[in-house]
Every structure is written in structure tokens, then in C-alpha cells.
Amino acid sequence: MFKKVLWLALCTSALGAQAAELRVLTHSSFALSKELLAGFEQQSGVKVVVIKAGDAGEMVNKLILTRANPIADVVYGIDNTLLGKAQQAGVLEPTASPAGAAVKQTLPGMVSVDYGYVTLNYDKAWFAKQKLALPKSLDELTRPAYKNLVVVENPATSSPGLAFLLATVKGLGEEPAFAWWGKLRDNGVKVAKGWSEAYYTDFSKNGGSRPIVVSYATSPAAEVFYSKQKLAEAPTGNLLLKGGVFQQVEGVALVKGGGQKKAARQFVDFLRSDAVQADLPRQMWMYPVVPGVKLNPVFALAQQPVAHDTPDSQAIAAKSAGWVSRWTRVVLKSGY
Amino acid sequence: MRAVFSRQALALLPLAFLILMALAPLARLLYEGGGGLSANLFFDDYLRWRLVWSLTQAAVTCVLALAIGLPLAWALARFAFPGRVLILRLLLLPFVMPTLVAALGVLALFGPHGVTGLNLQDTPWLLLYGNLFYNLPLVIRAACEALATVPASRLAAARTLGCTAWRAFWRVEWPVARPWLASALCLVFLYCFSGFGLALLLGGQRYATVEVEIYSLVAYELNLADAGALALLLLCLSGGVAFGYAWLERRLATPGKVEPLPPRPAATLAERTLLAGALVLLALFAAAPLLAVAGRALSAGVEAWAVLGEGDTLAALANTLRFSALALGAAAVLGLAHALAAQRWLWLRAAAFLPFVLSPVCVAFGLLLLYPGWSASLALLLGAYALLAYPFVAKSVAAALDGVPPQWPQAARTLGASAPRAFARVVWPLLQPAFRRGLAFAAATALGEFAVTLFLSRPEWTTLTTLIYQRLGRPGAASLDAALVLSSVLMLFAVSAFVIIEWPARRDRDSDHA
């Protein structure tokens, strides 16, 4: 039976290779309305095969490992934390932005598609009930009043976790940042493996006991959108502190050595089209890079940060591995 | 002589599969890492703590699972009560639950907002509870099967000669059950040792196992040299366990036809108390988190259940059904072939544990390196499912084969039956219950698909489990409700699969009613 299946799959994949097929590699959070993708297929005459490769960090590593035999023609979802690494490994083809409205959030060598912010979220009901004032700086989080209240994701296994670490390094300066992390550890910070774990098992809004979590600035809006009774106000809020906001810009690029160049280029332009830009926010909870696109009114419920501390992608490429291992030493390894 | 040759030839299929799907990818990954294994990795205090912790929690879980599981299994095996057979089938259910959902269930009981009012989050107790939730059922199932192989006549003789029930247990039942328990505990150890585990989820990064370290080294840092070194170390440690187990199992095997003791109603007060206590314990450790998930799903209201009508859900259900069925087909063939061949060689028997022992992330990345052109193909994905599922069939059937007296097929041969006929008429009927049992475990694995998220996938291949993780990947009460509803559907689905796979044969049914 298995052999038959294998054989069948072989045949279909062989057949598939003959039809024009555009292989799009994405991270697992990628989502787009089916009608839009179908429209693109019709217009371009190619079949789009979306391949999900896990978390964005995992995806880039898979791309790097297979650079001799690329597994995709175009890749979406590489952000400014990973761009440098991907470029150093030489897996991307420099891809120029399409002509049109000037966008503010750009990625060198890639075409930016959407952006968002990684920041702290807090549980409004918890703070109201405990009558505790919101912290006004990262430093305050290391005080006894905020003991055991914070959960962060491990930057070695989670993209938002890494983004938050990068923001602290940029916002506080490298040495003070790690000193701060040391104090936060002493004040009982909990480290979760990834966003879902932190948000659903440790955040006090759900199963856990900690009212402050590293999440996204659009999460409060998503909380309202995915609430049971339509809420007028978000149950969570953004805690926009100096050194605690990271601007994440995601983009699309052609894969070096990939095929279907023309269709790939069309796909890049397609992601910048008004229809896709208007669809993205609600699908992935990111802001569109093209200015003037009308947002779902629910986005008004999430405060958009005006300032952020984001190192440039060259600095990230050069130093983030070192920062992560130093973080592991300071937060996880000390005490063993 | 021909039969021996054909059995040896049977080994080729699972061996080729293991080499193509597991060993070659790992070797390829090690090669990519440069092969320079750095020993200084092991002088790192932090990693040593990881290793010690991984070993400790696995060992403690084994001891606890045995201490709690054995008396519990004894009560389930010896006493008849309504719903007994169903409970035995349901024991596999924890296996199917995605770790994150199981954690939600556990926290709904013993979390900060838990219904028990007892907050155990961030204490070691919750970790052990989580480990027992997944592993206790394994031990109970094995012990129940084991106790069913204790000859009724031997027990009756012991009792006639004046043994108390307690003494009869130690002198008659315990020796028979030992190999089965050793097998189950070996599996528990391997799962706890190399798993990602609920422990990490419930306890935070402090309780991460070595496998988490490997995952981060490969998937995030692309540090293949260190990851390879660690993966090899794990392979040696747990490979040793697997080999020891295979040796033990073969040594302790006692072939022979047994007339098992049929379960009877609990008669005395002491017996009723024992049974009631066992059921309460079972409910506490295995059923409570599942019930908490189902309960929360049911109380979520009609809007939450509307998710069932969505196209995505229906497609995911269809995929789950399709992939599980295909994986089961492959697991059946590979498992049978492996078990039959492993009768002759100890190392082959131990090799059935390979898929449990290898680091999943290393295999996933190795496959990518080895077959880049195939990396996003359905065949590879199904191969991964089969790899994780088939050892259960192999293990179960191998153990049952030990119990088949060699004289029986020989007698059939002497009477003129051909080798295939002797197998089909004599050996196969004896293997069938074990085969079905193995398939049920394989189905649970295929439905639960722990590691499959590590492989490349396509949106059109979304299964129920991936859909649950997708829902838990975004905020909002409705997302959580949808995930809980989908988890309940997954449970229902799994229960029906288990009941169908292990539909009792007529003889079992009779004995259940006896």
C-alpha cells in the first residue's frame, strides 16, 4: 500500500513539475484569502504552491541548508531580524521594489510587504483588580512590586522572543540591557518556548498567572476581533516602554537559483497590490506597508507605537547570535 | 529452511525504510555539520544539568508510573464492571492530544484559574502530573495485557495451595507481567527522555530536555556540529536502553497457550474499594485534563461549535482521515515485516526503537538536505508519519510472537501445511490481538503527530492537529474556544478509530461477558 502511495506521489510530483508551478516558501503564520490567490493564478497562468516551513527562523535555516537545490522559487516572511543572515548565506536574489507609492518600511534587497511591532501586552482586568500601577519603564519591571509578573519567549526558539531581546539591546545599550535581563531573572521572569505557549499557558488573561507577556502591538485588536461577544474595548493593552518595542518588517524576495523568474516577480508585485495589502492586516495582523490602504476599524483599538528601538538588519546579522547566547547565559544558565 | 530465508528477506523492507528515512538523513546532517564533534560541549554545566534533568525526570516518571499503574491495571484486569472494555480503549486518548492542549487541560484543573482552586503551576508536581498523564496509560495498557496472559489454572493452583491473593500476585502474576512492564517502562523512559514534553510547557525553560536544546541548535542557530554531537549522545544513551529492553524481553518470554482468568465482579468490600480507588486514580491522572478540555469546549457555546461547519475544518478532517489511514497501512506492513524478521536478531528488535530514539528535528532537517527535490512532497510527509507510527506495531507483534510456542506451527507443517498456510492458520490468529493493539497505538501517533510540524507542509495538507495549533497561534477568546472544540473533535475521532481498530474478536467478547 505504501509503495503504491509512494509511486502515486512520485507520478503526481513528476506531472506537477511539468505544469508551470510557482513554489512559494512561507512561515507557518502566512495566510491570504483564497480568492486572491486564485485570482493571481488565473492572471499569471501559474499554479501557486505554498510551502510552509515552520517558524520564520526555521524557514530561513531550511532555505540556507538547501541552497544548492533550492526548495522554492520565492520566499515570503523573512523579516529584518533574519534578512542579514539570509543575505550572508547568499540564498536571496536581490529583488527590487515595484514602482508605485513610496513605502516607509523597507528592507534592503527585499520587497517589504507588511510590518508590525513586538511589544509587551498587559492584562487590563488583572491590573484593575490588583490596583497596581502600570510600569513606566523596563527598569520598574525589576522592582519587587512586579515580581513574577512577566513571561517572555525564549529568543533561541521564538521570533517575538528574539525581537524583544533585540529591542532591549538597542533601547538600553548592550551592557545595561544584559544587566537588566539579569535583574529581571532575579525578579522571577518566566521563559516560555514560543508565543502560543506564553500567551495561552502563562498569560493571566488565559491559563496562567502572569499579566505581562511579550506579544504583538496588534494583539489587543485581534483580541476584540476574535472575542465571543463583540467587545467595545480590548481586554489587553500595549505596554509601550522605552527599549521594549521592536518594529518587524516582513518582505518577499526571489530565491537564488529558483525557477519561474517571471511568475516569481509577478508574485512579488502581487503582494504589494492594493487587494493583498488590504487583505493582509486581517489575515496576519500586520500593518500594510503601502500607505493609504484602509484598515479594518478594529485596528483602531490597538495603540500603534510611535517610537521603537530596532537595530538595523546588518547589526542584527552580525551580532544577534552572540546576543542570544549571552542572553541564554544570563537568563537561563546562571545558577547551574 | 526456506521459511528462515523468507523471514530474513522480510527484514529488508523495514531496514531499507529505516536507513532511507532515519539513518541516512541523520548521517547527512552530521556530515553537513563537518563531523568535528566538539567534546567541550559536554563540559558545559548548563548542558550537563539538562542531561541530568532529562534522565532524572524520565526515571522518576518510570517509577511513579509503575507504582501507580500496576495496581490500577490489576483492578482493571481482574474485575468486571460496565464500561470496562471502553475504558481500556480510551486509555490511548492522552496520546492523541497536542501538547499545548493537554497543558491547557492540566492548567484548567491545577492552574491559577483552575477549577480545583489548587495552583500548582511552576511546581515540580505539575510536571510529574503532566508526565503521568501521557505515560500512565501506556503502563496500564501493557500491564492489563500482561495480566491477561497469566494462566488461570496456575493462579487457581496457587490459591488452592494456600497462597493469599497478595502472595499469588508476587509468585505467579508478577513474573509473567515483568517483560511486558519492562517494555512499557522502556517506552516511557524514551518518551520522557527524548521528548519535548509537557514538562517544558508546564515548567518553563528550566525544565527543558536535551531535545529542546538540539531543536534550538538546529532550527535557530544552524549549529549542526554541536546539535549532531548532542543527538549522537542521546542516541547512544537511549539506544542502550532500547537494546537492554530487547534483550530482557526475549529472555523473559514464556511461550505457551494460556487460558486467562476472566474478570469477575468485585465481590467483597475490600475488592470494591480497590476497584473504586483504581477508577478514581485513573480519572484523576488520565481523564481529568481531557474532560477539562471537553468541558470547556462544551461550555463555549454554539458560536464556538460553528467552527465545525467551516471549510477549513472539513478539509482538515478529511486530511486527518486520509493521512492516518495511509500511515496505518504503511505501519501495518512495515511493523509486521519488522516483527517477523526480528525474531531472529536481537539488534533488529532493538532497531524498532530507532524512530523513538532519534532526534526528530535532526531527522527532519536531514531529510531536507538529503532529498531537497522531494522535501515538500506528500510521500515524504507520509513517510514521516509511518516512521513514527510503525514501531508500535513491530513492538507489539514481536512480543506476541515470543508467546507462540514453536511446536505449533511445526506441528502444522508436519501435518502437511505449507509455511504460509501454517502461518495464516496457526500463528496469525494468535498475533491478531497484538497486531490490532499495535495499530491502535500507531493510529494514536499518526493522529497526534508530535513531530510532523518539523517537516515542510502545504496549507492544503492541514490536519486537525495543525489546525488546532493555528488557532492557538492567534489571540482572542474565540480562537481558544475554536481550538478546544477542534480538540474535542479530535478526541471523538480518535475514540472511534480505537474502537474500530480494536473491535473485540468474538472470543474476547465472550470472556468480557463471562
Side-chain angles (χ1 to χ4, degrees), chain B residues 77-362:
Chain B
R78 292 291 176 244
F79 298 129
F81 58 92
R84 179 176 164 273
V85 178
L86 185 66
I87 285 185
L88 287 177
R89 305 278 180 274
L90 291 184
L91 274 177
L92 288 181
L93 213 43
F95 239 59
V96 180
M97 274 292 101
T99 331
L100 188 50
V101 180
L104 290 176
V106 170
L107 287 173
L109 298 169
F110 302 113
H113 317 298
V115 288
T116 58
L118 195 65
N119 180 10
L120 298 178
Q121 198 176 27
D122 297 338
T123 66
W125 302 113
L126 205 60
L127 301 187
L128 289 174
Y129 179 79
N131 270 355
L132 283 175
F133 166 72
Y134 271 117
N135 294 301
L136 194 58
L138 272 177
V139 175
I140 296 176
R141 279 284 308 227
C144 279
E145 310 299 345
L147 292 171
T149 63
V150 177
S153 54
R154 215 187 290 175
L155 265 177
R159 295 305 297 273
T160 317
L161 292 172
C163 274
T164 57
W166 179 248
R167 205 171 144 78
F169 171 77
W170 282 113
R171 299 300 291 269
V172 179
E173 292 173 291
W174 169 248
V176 175
R178 250 181 345 201
W180 297 75
L181 290 171
S183 133
L185 287 183
C186 177
L187 204 60
V188 169
F189 184 87
L190 291 180
Y191 265 129
C192 293
F193 181 60
S194 56
F196 255 34
L198 203 55
L200 165 65
L201 244 171
L202 294 170
Q205 290 290 316
R206 203 184 143 74
Y207 300 105
T209 52
V210 181
E211 178 57 29
V212 178
E213 214 56 49
I214 298 180
Y215 171 78
S216 144
L217 282 172
V218 175
Y220 279 80
E221 294 175 35
L222 213 56
N223 180 350
L224 300 182
D226 284 357
L230 266 182
L232 275 185
L233 179 75
L234 277 198
L235 182 63
C236 293
L237 277 172
S238 35
V241 173
F243 209 88
Y245 151 71
W247 177 78
L248 198 72
E249 189 187 56
R250 207 166 66 169
R251 244 196 63 167
L252 293 177
T254 40
K257 161 102 177 128
V258 292
E259 213 48 68
L261 189 68
R264 59 184 170 78
T268 64
L269 181 67
E271 286 180 352
R272 280 200 208 113
T273 319
L274 181 64
L275 178 62
L279 290 178
V280 168
L281 271 183
L282 187 64
L284 175 68
F285 280 107
L290 298 175
L291 288 175
V293 169
R296 285 186 66 174
L298 284 177
S299 62
V302 188
E303 314 89 66
W305 285 81
V307 69
L308 294 187
E310 285 175 15
D312 285 354
T313 311
L314 297 177
L317 259 172
N319 280 337
T320 304
L321 192 64
R322 216 155 43 109
F323 294 171
S324 313
L326 288 171
L328 273 188
V333 173
L334 287 165
L336 266 180
H338 197 135
L340 287 171
Q343 279 310 99
R344 292 192 61 79
W345 297 299
L346 193 63
W347 64 267
L348 193 60
R349 191 183 269 250
F353 280 95
L354 203 58
F356 297 146
V357 172
L358 288 178
S359 151
V361 67
C362 287

Side-chain angles (χ1 to χ4, degrees), chain A residues 75-115:
Chain A
V75 55
Y76 163 79
I78 293 182
D79 65 10
N80 44 331
T81 63
L82 296 163
L83 176 64
K85 183 179 190 179
Q87 282 173 338
Q88 277 174 6
V91 292
L92 300 181
E93 196 133 295
T95 309
S97 291
V103 303
K104 263 202 274 181
Q105 295 76 21
T106 56
L107 289 169
M110 276 186 92
V111 178
S112 58
V113 174
D114 54 73
Y115 70 100

Side-chain angles (χ1 to χ4, degrees), chain B residues 3-59:
Chain B
V4 172
F5 276 124
S6 63
R7 279 207 180 178
Q8 285 171 338
L10 271 180
L12 290 178
L13 182 69
L15 275 183
F17 182 73
L18 279 179
I19 289 172
L20 286 177
M21 283 298 292
L23 288 177
L26 184 69
R28 179 72 184 82
L29 193 80
L30 289 175
Y31 173 75
E32 187 78 14
L37 303 181
S38 58
N40 55 4
L41 196 67
F42 305 113
F43 296 109
D44 184 326
D45 283 348
Y46 169 70
L47 272 177
R48 253 207 315 262
W49 148 260
R50 283 271 166 283
L51 207 58
V52 170
W53 162 248
S54 297
L55 285 167
T56 313
Q57 54 105 23

Side-chain angles (χ1 to χ4, degrees), chain A residues 52 55 61-62 190 200 226, chain B residues 122 219-220 454 457 474 478:
Chain A
K52 294 195 170 186
D55 177 280
N61 282 345
K62 286 180 177 170
K190 183 164 178 183
Y200 280 106
Y226 294 119
Chain B
D122 297 338
Y220 279 80
L454 292 169
S457 180
R474 55 194 199 201

Side-chain angles (χ1 to χ4, degrees), chain B residues 360-422:
Chain B
V361 67
C362 287
V363 173
F365 275 73
L367 282 169
L368 198 64
L369 274 170
L370 202 56
Y371 318 111
W374 282 55
S375 53
S377 70
L378 198 55
L380 202 67
L381 190 72
L382 289 175
Y385 274 87
L387 183 72
L388 292 169
Y390 104 84
F392 287 104
V393 182
K395 217 176 67 66
S396 191
V397 174
L401 269 171
D402 290 338
V404 177
Q407 303 90 330
W408 294 9
Q410 279 164 13
R413 298 278 283 138
T414 321
L415 294 171
S418 64
R421 195 173 152 82

